[in-house]
């Protein structure tokens, strides 16, 4: 999936980038507040449904999540086996479902499965939220935010260039792969085929990246980059009525989570 801005008119598209970052940070922090997987499952489902609402096709959402599947499964297995019955305070979480080794070795507990599921759901939530933030926010808004934060302009330019180059190089890699398929090259065939395919496109991909960087350097020199320390701002951030409303709603959610933590809800 190409993680690049998709123009749209959704509510999330029209939010200020500062409000989006606030919601993003709060949502990521919330994933670490509960040991029970139910709250994280709700966050993961909400983050996943946000992508189609922003205009991302379901097929591309699948491409985004497919590489995560083996990682999440491994984390689930190892995290579930790393927690024994003595690591939990409640008898329901400490209940052993099965022993995976001879005798009483490698106990698989209810709490261990919940812990592993919690870690996997955190990863899913963070990946979906990051994709939603990139898809719904133009690069110019990130640049304007960094300039408002008084970051040095060379740092801003480096971040802006990186955000633009990643999807460009992804497009170029797919073009090379399509050209090889058109010439009869066998580059499909599961994970091994994908690895072999990407080893064959390294040379044209690196040469394209070097040529693009040289063209960018020449364009910067022709436009007098570095003459002034305060370049003219292309985009000025202006909040709308949505931003204070979402900020207030986020504050309410944080208050509810703090209350839930104090009452002990969501623990194993």
């Amino acid at each position: 999936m190409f993680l690049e801005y998709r123009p749209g008119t959704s509510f999330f598209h029209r939010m200020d980038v500062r409000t989006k970052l606030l919601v993003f940070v709060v949502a990521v922090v919330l994933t670490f507040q509960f040991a029970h997987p139910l709250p994280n499952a709700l966050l993961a489902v909400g983050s996943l449904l946000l992508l189609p609402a922003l205009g991302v096709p379901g097929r591309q959402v699948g491409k985004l999540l497919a590489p995560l599947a083996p990682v999440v499964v491994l984390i689930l297995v190892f995290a579930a086996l790393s927690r024994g019955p003595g690591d939990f305070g409640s008898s329901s979480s400490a209940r052993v479902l099965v022993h995976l080794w001879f005798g009483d070795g490698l106990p698989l507990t209810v709490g261990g499965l919940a812990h592993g599921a919690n870690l996997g759901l955190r990863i899913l939530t963070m990946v979906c939220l990051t994709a939603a933030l990139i898809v719904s926010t133009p690069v110019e808004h990130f640049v304007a935010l960094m300039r408002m934060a008084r970051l040095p302009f060379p740092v801003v330019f480096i971040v802006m260039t990186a955000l633009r180059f990643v999807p460009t190089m992804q497009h170029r890699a797919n073009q090379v792969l399509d050209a090889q398929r058109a010439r009869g090259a066998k580059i499909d065939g599961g994970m091994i085929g994908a690895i072999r395919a990407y080893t064959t496109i390294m040379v044209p991909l690196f040469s394209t990246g070097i040529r693009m960087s040289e063209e960018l350097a020449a364009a910067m020199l022709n436009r007098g980059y570095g003459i002034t320390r305060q370049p003219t701002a292309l985009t000025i951030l202006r909040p709308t009525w949505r931003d204070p409303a979402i900020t207030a709603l986020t504050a309410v959610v944080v208050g509810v989570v703090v209350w839930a933590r104090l009452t002990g809800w969501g623990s194993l």
Side-chain angles (χ1 to χ4, degrees), residues 31-242:
T31 61
F32 293 90
Q33 299 306 308
F34 298 103
H36 197 281
L38 179 58
N40 279 343
L42 296 176
L43 280 172
V45 172
S47 304
L48 186 59
L49 294 178
L50 182 60
L51 293 177
L54 296 176
V56 181
R59 184 177 180 182
Q60 293 193 357
V61 175
K63 289 182 178 180
L64 172 68
L65 300 180
L68 290 178
V71 178
V72 171
V73 170
L74 287 176
I75 290 176
L76 174 62
V77 172
F78 283 105
L81 296 178
S82 65
R83 293 296 187 94
D87 296 327
F88 304 100
S90 63
S91 58
S92 59
S93 298
R95 184 165 63 91
V96 178
L97 297 175
V98 65
H99 290 278
L100 300 179
W101 196 248
F102 301 103
D104 295 334
L106 291 179
L108 182 62
T109 62
V110 174
L113 281 176
H115 176 63
N118 219 13
L119 296 180
L121 290 170
R122 285 173 185 169
I123 294 176
L124 177 61
T125 301
M126 287 187 281
V127 169
C128 291
L129 287 176
T130 303
L133 181 64
I134 294 175
V135 165
S136 63
T137 309
V139 177
E140 292 79 10
H141 289 190
F142 288 113
V143 173
L145 179 62
M146 288 185 287
R147 293 195 62 183
M148 289 181 62
R150 304 294 183 182
L151 292 179
F153 187 73
V155 176
V156 176
F157 182 81
I158 291 173
V159 174
M160 177 186 67
T161 305
L163 290 175
R164 289 192 179 277
F165 260 62
V166 170
T168 301
M169 297 304 291
Q170 287 178 331
H171 281 292
R172 181 56 181 166
N174 277 355
Q175 289 175 356
V176 175
L177 290 175
D178 290 339
Q180 291 183 345
R181 290 189 185 97
R183 290 169 174 80
K186 296 181 180 180
I187 59 177
D188 297 316
M191 184 178 297
I192 303 300
I195 294 175
R196 290 177 178 174
Y198 275 95
T199 56
T200 60
I201 68 172
M202 286 297 110
V203 173
L205 204 58
F206 275 118
S207 62
T208 299
I210 294 172
R211 184 169 61 252
M212 289 174 58
S213 62
E214 291 177 346
E215 292 173 354
L216 177 62
M220 292 167 60
L221 291 175
N222 292 335
R223 288 165 174 78
Y225 175 80
I227 293 179
T228 176
R229 294 185 178 181
Q230 295 295 331
T232 303
L234 177 64
T235 303
I236 299 177
L237 300 178
R238 293 184 176 89
T240 62
W241 63 268
R242 303 174 185 84

Side-chain angles (χ1 to χ4, degrees), residues 10-24:
S10 66
F11 187 89
F12 202 72
H13 273 94
R14 290 179 284 181
M15 285 170 53
D16 191 278
V17 63
R18 293 164 290 187
T19 308
K20 293 179 188 178
L21 285 175
L22 173 64
V23 174
F24 174 80

